[in-house]
Amino acid sequence: MAEPLTQTEWRRWIADHAPKLLLFARQKARSEADAQDLVQEAVVECWQRNGQEEPPPLPLVFATVHRRAIDLARSQD
């Protein structure tokens, strides 16, 4: 079993990928707050699904943001 990532490694991953994920989520969401929530929920979901020992694959996170945005829009309509 691999060692879990350190807090510094996770912060670096977030710093590297959060701007791209947030830009993508803004295109899908109706508000800035919704976009931020979508990114946060997607990263956590993918991290848990991926075993919590390494960063989730970026395409998986993008797909999860997209899916969660659709679910959010459906729940609001």
Side-chain angles (χ1 to χ4, degrees), residues 4-16:
L5 292 180
T6 66
Q7 186 176 19
T8 303
E9 291 168 326
W10 271 110
R11 286 178 190 251
R12 185 175 306 123
W13 188 90
I14 294 293
D16 289 345

Side-chain angles (χ1 to χ4, degrees), residues 12-28:
R12 185 175 306 123
W13 188 90
I14 294 293
D16 289 345
H17 300 297
K20 295 177 273 196
L21 291 165
L22 190 54
L23 180 62
F24 180 71
R26 283 183 188 132
Q27 296 171 0
K28 307 290 180 188

Side-chain angles (χ1 to χ4, degrees), residues 43-76:
V43 169
V44 169
E45 178 182 328
C46 293
W47 172 70
Q48 290 173 337
R49 190 182 322 162
N50 201 42
Q52 304 176 4
E53 294 180 353
E54 59 185 45
L58 203 51
L60 176 63
V61 181
F62 276 104
T64 304
V65 168
H66 180 73
R67 181 177 46 81
R68 285 187 164 269
I70 291 170
D71 292 345
L72 178 64
R74 285 180 180 159
S75 72
Q76 291 176 342

